[in-house]
Amino acid sequence: MAKSLRSKWKRKMRAVKRVRYGEKENIRLLNMLEMAKKSQEERELEKSKTQMEHEPQPLGAPASDKVGEPMEGDGSGEKHSAKTLKSESGSYPVWLSNRKIQKLKTKNKVKKNPEGKVNKRHKKKYL
């Protein structure tokens, strides 16, 4: 099948397009390679400059001048319980999704039994 003039013409034009777009793509890829080489050379140059600027530190010396100040991500903000993930104020952390909060709420709910035993089956008491 597919021997009509229209399909032959379409196949021919697709082949022409492949050649034309292939050349354009090849040029674009070569430009990308050149840009990548330039950026890599610049990075290496900057890295060598920063290595030259810093002096070696004696052993046992602190890495930075700000020893006593807490860092941004060191967890010195609100403390959260490991089990319930609630903070002291009773709120959940920002990164916790609503679905996870609902699961934790149902998990942390304690079913109390008056006898103090754990019932696996909940029997109804009749009069």
Side-chain angles (χ1 to χ4, degrees):
M1 225 167 160
K3 295 283 184 172
S4 66
L5 289 176
R6 182 178 180 198
S7 63
K8 287 179 184 178
W9 176 257
K10 294 235 180 232
R11 278 194 352 222
K12 179 183 173 186
M13 289 298 109
R14 277 197 301 263
V16 169
K17 276 187 181 179
R18 262 188 238 112
V19 170
R20 188 174 64 203
Y21 288 130
E23 291 171 359
K24 287 183 182 180
E25 187 178 8
N26 194 15
I27 291 170
R28 191 178 303 136
L29 289 172
L30 291 174
N31 288 337
M32 286 173 61
L33 277 174
E34 290 175 12
M35 295 293 285
K37 286 178 184 177
K38 286 180 185 177
S39 65
Q40 187 174 7
E41 289 172 1
E42 290 174 1
R43 273 192 239 122
E44 289 176 1
L45 185 63
E46 287 179 21
K47 188 184 278 187
S48 65
K49 283 182 183 179
T50 56
Q51 287 176 352
M52 296 287 189
E53 290 174 0
H54 298 294
E55 297 177 8
Q57 294 179 350
L59 290 174
S64 66
D65 298 335
K66 303 176 184 177
V67 176
E69 296 179 21
M71 292 175 59
E72 288 180 18
D74 67 347
S76 62
E78 283 194 62
K79 302 288 182 183
H80 293 283
S81 167
K83 182 180 176 186
T84 61
L85 289 178
K86 278 189 178 180
S87 66
E88 296 164 353
S89 62
S91 63
Y92 289 96
V94 178
W95 50 264
L96 199 62
S97 68
N98 286 336
R99 181 171 286 174
K100 187 73 173 178
I101 290 172
Q102 291 301 321
K103 282 185 181 180
L104 285 171
K105 282 182 181 177
T106 57
K107 180 182 173 186
N108 293 332
K109 236 185 238 183
V110 178
K111 294 182 181 178
K112 293 188 178 180
N113 193 4
E115 294 98 30
K117 297 179 183 177
V118 177
N119 280 341
K120 293 186 179 177
R121 287 183 251 165
H122 299 287
K123 294 182 180 177
K124 293 183 179 179
K125 294 183 181 179
Y126 297 103
L127 295 175

